[in-house]
């Protein structure tokens, strides 16, 4: 006699938003409210929080916050390593299943929207990274500069080049790598069918400001707080390890890239302005990603943002329970 079929549907509430939009505070408030009915475990959706030793510049949750609610995908890699959307999807699948098996609610929180998109919509079957090809691209960039390689990319993949800044080394490198390995532009790969994923129900609540000036002010205050907390000393310590360089994905993270450059130049004066400008650009890209995703929007600059966000997350959790 066969038993009842096992329900393997992934169910999780997702909370996203640009940097400095208040995601951590909202997530913890929701976890506190849910503690008596269905305890929450948080899965970080952040390409920088995975790295150990990078605490100040990533606005990593405090030790107290990490102890209050179980967190996952934080401090899982050394800065010498790399992380990817494909690895995130695999990790998220495993963690969501484990959290559900414990009778708890997975809450996915972060600002790396590529990871959210990959989890909800699937991954394009892109060529795997190739160390030798990347080394060749990096060598040419060291001689010619990334704007020159951006121009090369524009000649073979104008669609991708149009959405990248001429100094966006990491994404230019990857787009050129895909072209060299496959003979196809990255934009063509993204138009193909995504790899099928298990059935999933992942409602997304997005914190998005009505006022860009509000977000810019928060970004400036937070970057000032990072500087006061020792961002430059943190990066100085990372450099002193001897096994890191500014071409690694970890050291290309916003804030770290600018601090590394300031130490190279032995001049910290431009760091604040450069860091805030880079963080604003990051927030702009995050908001662009969000606009293309199905979501429930909560204005994070509204006076009642917290109760509205909590209500949206509670509504999502109740909808999951009915699935």
């Amino acid at each position: 006699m066969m038993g009842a079929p096992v329900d393997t549907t992934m169910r999780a509430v997702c909370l996203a938003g640009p940097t400095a939009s208040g995601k951590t505070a909202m997530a913890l408030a929701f976890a506190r409210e849910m503690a008596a009915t269905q305890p929450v475990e948080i899965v970080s959706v952040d390409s920088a929080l995975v790295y150990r030793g990078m605490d100040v510049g990533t606005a990593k949750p405090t030790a107290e916050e990490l102890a209050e609610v179980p967190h996952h995908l934080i401090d899982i890699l050394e800065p010498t390593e790399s992380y990817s959307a494909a690895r995130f999807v695999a990790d998220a699948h495993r963690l969501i299943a484990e959290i559900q098996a414990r009778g708890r609610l997975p809450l996915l929180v972060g600002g790396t929207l590529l990871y959210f998109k990959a989890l909800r919509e699937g991954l394009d079957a892109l060529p795997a990274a190739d160390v030798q090809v990347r080394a060749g691209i990096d060598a040419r960039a060291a001689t010619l500069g990334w704007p020159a390689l951006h121009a090369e990319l524009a000649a073979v993949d104008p669609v991708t080049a149009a959405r990248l800044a001429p100094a966006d080394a990491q994404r230019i490198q990857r787009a050129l790598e895909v072209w060299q390995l496959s003979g196809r532009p990255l934009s063509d790969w993204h138009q193909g069918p995504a790899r099928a994923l298990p059935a999933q129900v992942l409602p997304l609540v997005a914190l998005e400001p009505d006022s860009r000036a509000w977000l810019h002010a928060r970004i400036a205050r937070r970057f000032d707080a990072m500087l006061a907390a020792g961002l430059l000393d943190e990066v100085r310590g990372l450099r002193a390890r001897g096994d890191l360089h500014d071409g690694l994905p970890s050291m290309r993270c916003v804030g770290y890239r600018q601090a590394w450059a300031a130490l190279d130049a032995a001049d910290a004066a431009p760091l604040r302005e450069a860091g805030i400008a880079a963080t604003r650009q990051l927030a702009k890209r995050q908001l662009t990603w969000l606009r293309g995703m199905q979501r429930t929007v909560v204005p994070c600059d509204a006076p009642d943002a917290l109760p509205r966000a909590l209500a949206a997350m509670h509504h999502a959790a109740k909808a999951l329970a009915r699935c």
Side-chain angles (χ1 to χ4, degrees), residues 20 31 48 65 73 85 88 111 113 118 120 131 148 175 194 200 206 248 257 269 274 276-277 280 302 315:
E65 290 168 338
L73 299 186
F88 168 78
L113 281 305
R120 298 171 93 211
V131 174
Q200 50 194 301
L248 289 167
R257 180 186 299 184
I276 290 173
R280 286 183 177 186
H315 178 78

Side-chain angles (χ1 to χ4, degrees), residues 129-191:
D130 186 290
V131 174
Q132 291 185 335
V133 171
R134 288 193 171 190
I137 294 170
D138 285 340
R140 288 194 294 116
T143 301
L144 303 173
W146 285 107
L149 268 67
H150 181 266
E152 290 183 13
L153 178 63
V156 297
D157 187 356
V159 174
T160 299
R163 64 179 178 81
L164 300 182
D168 193 343
Q170 186 173 359
R171 292 177 177 84
I172 294 170
Q173 179 200 60
R174 178 56 176 156
L176 286 172
E177 177 188 37
V178 168
W179 166 255
Q180 290 184 33
L181 289 172
S182 69
R184 290 174 56 194
L186 181 62
S187 54
D188 278 5
W189 285 94
H190 286 326
Q191 292 172 4

Side-chain angles (χ1 to χ4, degrees), residues 24-41:
T24 297
M26 300 285 189
L28 290 172
F30 177 67
R32 292 180 191 120
E33 289 198 353
M34 292 290 290
T37 54
Q38 187 179 21
V40 166
E41 295 190 28

Side-chain angles (χ1 to χ4, degrees), residues 97-137:
E98 292 172 356
I99 294 167
Q100 288 183 163
R102 290 191 284 270
R104 294 170 172 249
L105 176 66
L107 174 61
L108 277 60
V109 183
T112 303
L113 281 305
L114 171 61
Y115 290 2
F116 276 117
K117 182 177 175 64
L119 185 63
R120 298 171 93 211
E121 301 177 19
L123 283 163
D124 298 308
L126 292 168
D130 186 290
V131 174
Q132 291 185 335
V133 171
R134 288 193 171 190
I137 294 170

Side-chain angles (χ1 to χ4, degrees), residues 6-14 43 88-101 104-106 108 115-122 196-203 316 319-321 323:
V6 177
D7 183 1
T8 59
T9 304
M10 292 199 306
R11 296 182 177 89
V13 175
C14 300
V43 178
F88 168 78
V89 168
D91 286 342
H93 281 195
R94 172 180 54 82
L95 287 165
I96 290 170
E98 292 172 356
I99 294 167
Q100 288 183 163
R104 294 170 172 249
L105 176 66
L108 277 60
Y115 290 2
F116 276 117
K117 182 177 175 64
L119 185 63
R120 298 171 93 211
E121 301 177 19
L197 295 178
Q200 50 194 301
V201 182
L202 299 167
L320 292 181
C323 291

